[in-house]
Amino acid sequence: MQPPFIGSAFKYVDNITYLDDSFCKGSFHFREDLPFYQAHFEGYPITPGVILIECAGQTGCIPLGYSILEKNKLTNLIPVLSNCEIDFFKPVFPGESVTVESEKVYFRKHILKCNVKMFKANGILVLQGNLSCKFLKKDDIK
């Protein structure tokens, strides 16, 4: 399934392979031509940790949140990653693909907290931790 909710300029999710009320799984391929590799790090490019967190949020937390919102007939809400507690274990290099698994801890007051894990294609754990996402009304963001 293609995620319909994220524009192409800042998209770190290629597809969602599983989604239900409490679990989401998806993937992303870090192309070698992504612009942040030019400066991070010169001569030895790796994916910045903040990009890995964004990928985990876009691939796991946000689709799960939208699914919950849709079932509860809540619309016109925008996701904002609001809290993270992430441990990093391995780097992700240009040209590698990752899979993200996200499990709902709770959803209340428009806040979704998830346990997330990211794996390289060979099953090696890249990161693990908790992400929280607030879903705000468009008018409250301005």
Side-chain angles (χ1 to χ4, degrees):
M1 158 181 16
Q2 287 292 320
F5 46 81
I6 298 172
S8 61
F10 195 62
K11 184 181 101 170
Y12 299 113
V13 53
D14 288 329
N15 62 53
I16 304 300
T17 56
Y18 184 85
L19 179 61
D20 67 20
D21 291 344
S22 61
F23 186 81
C24 183
K25 184 175 182 178
S27 62
F28 183 70
H29 177 73
F30 285 95
R31 298 180 329 273
E32 294 178 16
D33 65 344
L34 290 169
F36 51 77
Y37 287 130
Q38 295 173 11
H40 199 265
F41 294 98
E42 191 173 327
Y44 189 72
I46 65 170
T47 308
V50 68
I51 300 295
L52 295 175
I53 291 170
E54 183 67 25
C55 176
Q58 288 184 17
T59 306
C61 199
I62 292 172
L64 187 54
Y66 273 124
S67 176
I68 293 167
L69 292 173
E70 186 177 289
K71 287 185 181 195
N72 290 290
K73 298 182 180 12
L74 298 169
T75 59
N76 295 324
L77 298 174
I78 302 293
V80 177
L81 290 176
S82 59
N83 192 12
C84 67
E85 299 170 9
I86 299 292
D87 292 318
F88 294 91
F89 300 101
K90 296 287 182 183
V92 174
F93 298 102
E96 290 190 306
S97 294
V98 296
T99 299
V100 176
E101 297 178 357
S102 180
E103 185 174 10
K104 179 179 78 173
V105 176
Y106 64 76
F107 182 82
R108 60 179 172 256
K109 297 183 180 180
H110 297 166
I111 297 173
L112 173 64
K113 182 175 182 178
C114 296
N115 290 325
V116 295
K117 292 181 182 179
M118 179 182 286
F119 300 92
K120 292 186 180 195
N122 56 7
I124 293 176
L125 183 66
V126 171
L127 64 78
Q128 177 176 323
N130 296 310
L131 286 178
S132 295
C133 185
K134 290 182 183 181
F135 289 86
L136 303 173
K137 294 179 183 175
K138 290 181 181 178
D139 295 339
D140 293 342
I141 294 176
K142 297 178 183 177

Short mmCIF file of all heavy atoms in Angstrom, two decimals, residues 74-119:
data_model
loop_
_atom_site.label_atom_id
_atom_site.label_comp_id
_atom_site.label_asym_id
_atom_site.label_seq_id
_atom_site.Cartn_x
_atom_site.Cartn_y
_atom_site.Cartn_z
N LEU A 74 -12.27 10.88 12.81
CA LEU A 74 -11.59 12.13 13.11
C LEU A 74 -10.83 12.56 11.86
O LEU A 74 -10.03 11.80 11.32
CB LEU A 74 -10.63 11.96 14.29
CG LEU A 74 -11.29 11.56 15.61
CD1 LEU A 74 -10.25 11.15 16.62
CD2 LEU A 74 -12.12 12.71 16.15
N THR A 75 -11.09 13.77 11.39
CA THR A 75 -10.47 14.24 10.15
C THR A 75 -9.79 15.58 10.35
O THR A 75 -9.91 16.20 11.39
CB THR A 75 -11.53 14.37 9.03
OG1 THR A 75 -12.53 15.30 9.46
CG2 THR A 75 -12.18 13.03 8.72
N ASN A 76 -9.08 16.02 9.32
CA ASN A 76 -8.40 17.32 9.30
C ASN A 76 -7.38 17.48 10.41
O ASN A 76 -7.21 18.56 10.96
CB ASN A 76 -9.41 18.48 9.34
CG ASN A 76 -10.25 18.52 8.09
OD1 ASN A 76 -9.76 18.22 7.00
ND2 ASN A 76 -11.51 18.85 8.25
N LEU A 77 -6.70 16.40 10.74
CA LEU A 77 -5.64 16.44 11.75
C LEU A 77 -4.29 16.20 11.08
O LEU A 77 -4.17 15.41 10.16
CB LEU A 77 -5.89 15.42 12.84
CG LEU A 77 -7.18 15.61 13.64
CD1 LEU A 77 -7.39 14.46 14.61
CD2 LEU A 77 -7.17 16.93 14.40
N ILE A 78 -3.28 16.90 11.56
CA ILE A 78 -1.93 16.84 11.01
C ILE A 78 -1.01 16.18 12.04
O ILE A 78 -1.01 16.57 13.21
CB ILE A 78 -1.40 18.26 10.71
CG1 ILE A 78 -2.33 18.99 9.76
CG2 ILE A 78 0.03 18.22 10.20
CD1 ILE A 78 -2.37 18.43 8.37
N PRO A 79 -0.19 15.20 11.62
CA PRO A 79 0.71 14.53 12.57
C PRO A 79 1.96 15.34 12.83
O PRO A 79 2.55 15.93 11.93
CB PRO A 79 1.05 13.22 11.85
CG PRO A 79 0.97 13.58 10.41
CD PRO A 79 -0.13 14.60 10.29
N VAL A 80 2.38 15.38 14.09
CA VAL A 80 3.62 16.02 14.50
C VAL A 80 4.31 15.08 15.47
O VAL A 80 3.74 14.74 16.53
CB VAL A 80 3.36 17.38 15.19
CG1 VAL A 80 4.66 18.00 15.66
CG2 VAL A 80 2.61 18.32 14.27
N LEU A 81 5.51 14.62 15.12
CA LEU A 81 6.26 13.79 16.05
C LEU A 81 6.58 14.63 17.28
O LEU A 81 7.11 15.73 17.16
CB LEU A 81 7.54 13.25 15.41
CG LEU A 81 7.33 12.21 14.32
CD1 LEU A 81 8.67 11.81 13.69
CD2 LEU A 81 6.63 10.98 14.85
N SER A 82 6.25 14.13 18.45
CA SER A 82 6.34 14.97 19.64
C SER A 82 7.32 14.49 20.69
O SER A 82 7.74 15.26 21.53
CB SER A 82 4.95 15.10 20.27
OG SER A 82 4.44 13.84 20.63
N ASN A 83 7.68 13.23 20.66
CA ASN A 83 8.59 12.71 21.68
C ASN A 83 9.24 11.45 21.15
O ASN A 83 8.61 10.65 20.47
CB ASN A 83 7.82 12.41 22.97
CG ASN A 83 8.73 12.16 24.15
OD1 ASN A 83 9.92 12.42 24.08
ND2 ASN A 83 8.17 11.63 25.21
N CYS A 84 10.52 11.27 21.46
CA CYS A 84 11.17 10.02 21.08
C CYS A 84 12.20 9.63 22.12
O CYS A 84 12.86 10.47 22.72
CB CYS A 84 11.79 10.12 19.69
SG CYS A 84 13.18 11.23 19.55
N GLU A 85 12.27 8.35 22.33
CA GLU A 85 13.30 7.72 23.16
C GLU A 85 13.83 6.57 22.34
O GLU A 85 13.25 5.49 22.32
CB GLU A 85 12.69 7.22 24.47
CG GLU A 85 12.07 8.30 25.32
CD GLU A 85 11.26 7.73 26.49
OE1 GLU A 85 11.32 6.51 26.73
OE2 GLU A 85 10.56 8.52 27.12
N ILE A 86 14.92 6.82 21.63
CA ILE A 86 15.43 5.86 20.65
C ILE A 86 16.86 5.46 21.00
O ILE A 86 17.68 6.30 21.32
CB ILE A 86 15.41 6.47 19.23
CG1 ILE A 86 13.99 6.83 18.80
CG2 ILE A 86 16.07 5.53 18.22
CD1 ILE A 86 13.06 5.66 18.59
N ASP A 87 17.12 4.17 20.91
CA ASP A 87 18.49 3.64 21.00
C ASP A 87 18.91 3.21 19.61
O ASP A 87 18.16 2.53 18.90
CB ASP A 87 18.55 2.45 21.95
CG ASP A 87 18.32 2.83 23.40
OD1 ASP A 87 18.85 3.88 23.83
OD2 ASP A 87 17.60 2.10 24.10
N PHE A 88 20.12 3.60 19.21
CA PHE A 88 20.67 3.25 17.91
C PHE A 88 21.69 2.13 18.08
O PHE A 88 22.49 2.16 19.02
CB PHE A 88 21.36 4.46 17.27
CG PHE A 88 20.42 5.58 16.93
CD1 PHE A 88 20.17 6.59 17.84
CD2 PHE A 88 19.78 5.61 15.71
CE1 PHE A 88 19.30 7.62 17.53
CE2 PHE A 88 18.91 6.64 15.39
CZ PHE A 88 18.67 7.64 16.30
N PHE A 89 21.66 1.17 17.15
CA PHE A 89 22.56 0.03 17.24
C PHE A 89 23.51 -0.09 16.06
O PHE A 89 24.65 -0.48 16.22
CB PHE A 89 21.75 -1.27 17.40
CG PHE A 89 20.90 -1.25 18.64
CD1 PHE A 89 19.54 -0.99 18.55
CD2 PHE A 89 21.45 -1.47 19.88
CE1 PHE A 89 18.75 -0.96 19.68
CE2 PHE A 89 20.66 -1.44 21.02
CZ PHE A 89 19.31 -1.18 20.92
N LYS A 90 23.03 0.22 14.85
CA LYS A 90 23.85 0.11 13.65
C LYS A 90 23.54 1.28 12.72
O LYS A 90 22.43 1.78 12.69
CB LYS A 90 23.55 -1.20 12.89
CG LYS A 90 23.90 -2.46 13.63
CD LYS A 90 25.40 -2.66 13.69
CE LYS A 90 25.72 -3.96 14.41
NZ LYS A 90 27.14 -4.16 14.56
N PRO A 91 24.54 1.71 11.92
CA PRO A 91 24.28 2.77 10.94
C PRO A 91 23.56 2.22 9.71
O PRO A 91 23.58 1.01 9.45
CB PRO A 91 25.68 3.25 10.58
CG PRO A 91 26.56 2.08 10.82
CD PRO A 91 25.94 1.32 11.97
N VAL A 92 22.95 3.13 8.98
CA VAL A 92 22.35 2.81 7.68
C VAL A 92 23.14 3.59 6.63
O VAL A 92 23.30 4.81 6.74
CB VAL A 92 20.85 3.19 7.63
CG1 VAL A 92 20.29 2.99 6.24
CG2 VAL A 92 20.08 2.37 8.66
N PHE A 93 23.61 2.87 5.62
CA PHE A 93 24.46 3.47 4.60
C PHE A 93 23.66 3.74 3.32
O PHE A 93 22.59 3.15 3.12
CB PHE A 93 25.64 2.54 4.29
CG PHE A 93 26.54 2.32 5.47
CD1 PHE A 93 26.45 1.15 6.20
CD2 PHE A 93 27.44 3.29 5.86
CE1 PHE A 93 27.27 0.94 7.31
CE2 PHE A 93 28.26 3.10 6.97
CZ PHE A 93 28.18 1.91 7.69
N PRO A 94 24.18 4.62 2.46
CA PRO A 94 23.51 4.87 1.18
C PRO A 94 23.30 3.56 0.42
O PRO A 94 24.18 2.70 0.39
CB PRO A 94 24.49 5.77 0.43
CG PRO A 94 25.33 6.41 1.49
CD PRO A 94 25.41 5.41 2.60
N GLY A 95 22.11 3.41 -0.15
CA GLY A 95 21.79 2.21 -0.91
C GLY A 95 21.16 1.09 -0.12
O GLY A 95 20.75 0.08 -0.69
N GLU A 96 21.04 1.25 1.20
CA GLU A 96 20.43 0.20 2.02
C GLU A 96 18.93 0.44 2.18
O GLU A 96 18.45 1.56 2.12
CB GLU A 96 21.08 0.14 3.41
CG GLU A 96 22.50 -0.39 3.37
CD GLU A 96 23.05 -0.69 4.75
OE1 GLU A 96 23.04 0.22 5.62
OE2 GLU A 96 23.52 -1.82 4.95
N SER A 97 18.22 -0.65 2.40
CA SER A 97 16.78 -0.61 2.69
C SER A 97 16.54 -0.98 4.13
O SER A 97 17.31 -1.75 4.72
CB SER A 97 16.03 -1.59 1.78
OG SER A 97 16.12 -1.19 0.44
N VAL A 98 15.46 -0.43 4.70
CA VAL A 98 15.10 -0.74 6.08
C VAL A 98 13.62 -1.12 6.13
O VAL A 98 12.83 -0.73 5.28
CB VAL A 98 15.36 0.45 7.03
CG1 VAL A 98 16.85 0.78 7.11
CG2 VAL A 98 14.55 1.68 6.64
N THR A 99 13.30 -1.89 7.16
CA THR A 99 11.92 -2.23 7.48
C THR A 99 11.64 -1.69 8.87
O THR A 99 12.48 -1.83 9.78
CB THR A 99 11.71 -3.75 7.47
OG1 THR A 99 11.99 -4.22 6.15
CG2 THR A 99 10.30 -4.12 7.85
N VAL A 100 10.49 -1.07 9.04
CA VAL A 100 10.08 -0.50 10.33
C VAL A 100 8.85 -1.25 10.81
O VAL A 100 7.91 -1.48 10.06
CB VAL A 100 9.76 1.01 10.21
CG1 VAL A 100 9.23 1.56 11.53
CG2 VAL A 100 10.99 1.78 9.77
N GLU A 101 8.88 -1.64 12.09
CA GLU A 101 7.73 -2.24 12.75
C GLU A 101 7.33 -1.34 13.90
O GLU A 101 8.17 -0.88 14.67
CB GLU A 101 8.08 -3.63 13.29
CG GLU A 101 8.45 -4.61 12.21
CD GLU A 101 8.84 -5.97 12.75
OE1 GLU A 101 8.89 -6.15 14.00
OE2 GLU A 101 9.11 -6.86 11.93
N SER A 102 6.04 -1.05 14.01
CA SER A 102 5.53 -0.14 15.02
C SER A 102 4.33 -0.78 15.71
O SER A 102 3.39 -1.23 15.05
CB SER A 102 5.11 1.18 14.37
OG SER A 102 4.61 2.08 15.32
N GLU A 103 4.37 -0.81 17.04
CA GLU A 103 3.29 -1.38 17.83
C GLU A 103 2.71 -0.32 18.75
O GLU A 103 3.44 0.37 19.47
CB GLU A 103 3.80 -2.56 18.65
CG GLU A 103 2.72 -3.28 19.41
CD GLU A 103 3.24 -4.53 20.11
OE1 GLU A 103 4.46 -4.73 20.16
OE2 GLU A 103 2.40 -5.28 20.62
N LYS A 104 1.38 -0.16 18.71
CA LYS A 104 0.71 0.84 19.53
C LYS A 104 0.86 0.52 21.01
O LYS A 104 0.62 -0.60 21.44
CB LYS A 104 -0.78 0.91 19.17
CG LYS A 104 -1.57 1.92 19.99
CD LYS A 104 -3.02 1.97 19.58
CE LYS A 104 -3.76 0.79 20.17
NZ LYS A 104 -5.21 0.86 19.97
N VAL A 105 1.27 1.52 21.78
CA VAL A 105 1.26 1.44 23.25
C VAL A 105 -0.07 2.00 23.75
O VAL A 105 -0.75 1.38 24.55
CB VAL A 105 2.45 2.19 23.87
CG1 VAL A 105 2.38 2.19 25.39
CG2 VAL A 105 3.77 1.60 23.37
N TYR A 106 -0.41 3.21 23.27
CA TYR A 106 -1.72 3.80 23.58
C TYR A 106 -2.05 4.88 22.57
O TYR A 106 -1.18 5.40 21.88
CB TYR A 106 -1.78 4.37 25.00
CG TYR A 106 -0.86 5.53 25.28
CD1 TYR A 106 -1.12 6.83 24.83
CD2 TYR A 106 0.29 5.34 26.05
CE1 TYR A 106 -0.27 7.88 25.10
CE2 TYR A 106 1.14 6.40 26.33
CZ TYR A 106 0.85 7.66 25.86
OH TYR A 106 1.70 8.71 26.13
N PHE A 107 -3.32 5.21 22.49
CA PHE A 107 -3.82 6.35 21.74
C PHE A 107 -4.87 7.03 22.60
O PHE A 107 -5.91 6.45 22.91
CB PHE A 107 -4.45 5.94 20.40
CG PHE A 107 -4.93 7.11 19.59
CD1 PHE A 107 -4.03 7.82 18.81
CD2 PHE A 107 -6.25 7.51 19.61
CE1 PHE A 107 -4.46 8.92 18.08
CE2 PHE A 107 -6.68 8.59 18.87
CZ PHE A 107 -5.78 9.31 18.10
N ARG A 108 -4.58 8.25 23.04
CA ARG A 108 -5.55 9.02 23.83
C ARG A 108 -5.26 10.51 23.64
O ARG A 108 -4.12 10.92 23.48
CB ARG A 108 -5.54 8.62 25.29
CG ARG A 108 -4.23 8.78 26.01
CD ARG A 108 -4.37 8.36 27.50
NE ARG A 108 -3.10 8.33 28.14
CZ ARG A 108 -2.41 7.24 28.44
NH1 ARG A 108 -2.90 6.06 28.16
NH2 ARG A 108 -1.24 7.31 29.03
N LYS A 109 -6.34 11.29 23.68
CA LYS A 109 -6.27 12.74 23.50
C LYS A 109 -5.45 13.12 22.26
O LYS A 109 -4.63 14.03 22.30
CB LYS A 109 -5.70 13.39 24.75
CG LYS A 109 -6.57 13.19 25.97
CD LYS A 109 -6.03 13.92 27.17
CE LYS A 109 -6.92 13.68 28.37
NZ LYS A 109 -6.44 14.37 29.56
N HIS A 110 -5.67 12.39 21.17
CA HIS A 110 -5.00 12.63 19.89
C HIS A 110 -3.49 12.43 19.95
O HIS A 110 -2.76 12.99 19.13
CB HIS A 110 -5.33 14.01 19.34
CG HIS A 110 -6.77 14.18 19.02
ND1 HIS A 110 -7.32 15.39 18.79
CD2 HIS A 110 -7.79 13.29 18.88
CE1 HIS A 110 -8.61 15.26 18.53
NE2 HIS A 110 -8.91 13.98 18.59
N ILE A 111 -3.01 11.66 20.92
CA ILE A 111 -1.59 11.33 21.01
C ILE A 111 -1.44 9.82 20.88
O ILE A 111 -2.09 9.05 21.59
CB ILE A 111 -0.97 11.81 22.33
CG1 ILE A 111 -1.06 13.34 22.43
CG2 ILE A 111 0.48 11.34 22.44
CD1 ILE A 111 -0.63 13.90 23.77
N LEU A 112 -0.57 9.43 19.96
CA LEU A 112 -0.26 8.01 19.76
C LEU A 112 1.16 7.76 20.22
O LEU A 112 2.09 8.44 19.79
CB LEU A 112 -0.39 7.65 18.28
CG LEU A 112 0.06 6.25 17.88
CD1 LEU A 112 -0.81 5.19 18.55
CD2 LEU A 112 0.05 6.10 16.37
N LYS A 113 1.32 6.79 21.09
CA LYS A 113 2.66 6.35 21.50
C LYS A 113 2.86 4.95 20.96
O LYS A 113 2.00 4.09 21.10
CB LYS A 113 2.80 6.35 23.02
CG LYS A 113 4.20 5.94 23.48
CD LYS A 113 4.37 6.07 24.98
CE LYS A 113 5.79 5.71 25.37
NZ LYS A 113 6.00 5.88 26.80
N CYS A 114 4.04 4.73 20.33
CA CYS A 114 4.35 3.45 19.71
C CYS A 114 5.73 2.95 20.14
O CYS A 114 6.64 3.76 20.36
CB CYS A 114 4.39 3.58 18.19
SG CYS A 114 2.85 4.01 17.44
N ASN A 115 5.87 1.65 20.21
CA ASN A 115 7.18 1.01 20.26
C ASN A 115 7.59 0.77 18.82
O ASN A 115 6.81 0.20 18.04
CB ASN A 115 7.13 -0.34 20.99
CG ASN A 115 6.89 -0.18 22.47
OD1 ASN A 115 7.37 0.76 23.08
ND2 ASN A 115 6.15 -1.10 23.04
N VAL A 116 8.78 1.23 18.44
CA VAL A 116 9.24 1.06 17.07
C VAL A 116 10.56 0.30 17.03
O VAL A 116 11.38 0.40 17.95
CB VAL A 116 9.39 2.41 16.32
CG1 VAL A 116 8.07 3.11 16.16
CG2 VAL A 116 10.39 3.30 17.00
N LYS A 117 10.73 -0.44 15.94
CA LYS A 117 12.00 -1.12 15.65
C LYS A 117 12.27 -0.93 14.17
O LYS A 117 11.35 -0.97 13.36
CB LYS A 117 11.92 -2.61 15.95
CG LYS A 117 11.79 -2.94 17.41
CD LYS A 117 11.74 -4.45 17.61
CE LYS A 117 11.57 -4.79 19.09
NZ LYS A 117 11.48 -6.24 19.30
N MET A 118 13.54 -0.73 13.84
CA MET A 118 13.97 -0.63 12.46
C MET A 118 15.04 -1.69 12.22
O MET A 118 15.97 -1.83 13.03
CB MET A 118 14.53 0.76 12.16
CG MET A 118 15.03 0.95 10.73
SD MET A 118 15.74 2.59 10.45
CE MET A 118 14.26 3.60 10.42
N PHE A 119 14.89 -2.39 11.08
CA PHE A 119 15.83 -3.44 10.72
C PHE A 119 16.39 -3.19 9.33
O PHE A 119 15.69 -2.69 8.45
CB PHE A 119 15.12 -4.80 10.69
CG PHE A 119 14.51 -5.21 11.99
CD1 PHE A 119 13.18 -4.89 12.28
CD2 PHE A 119 15.25 -5.89 12.94
CE1 PHE A 119 12.60 -5.27 13.48
CE2 PHE A 119 14.67 -6.27 14.14
CZ PHE A 119 13.35 -5.96 14.42
#
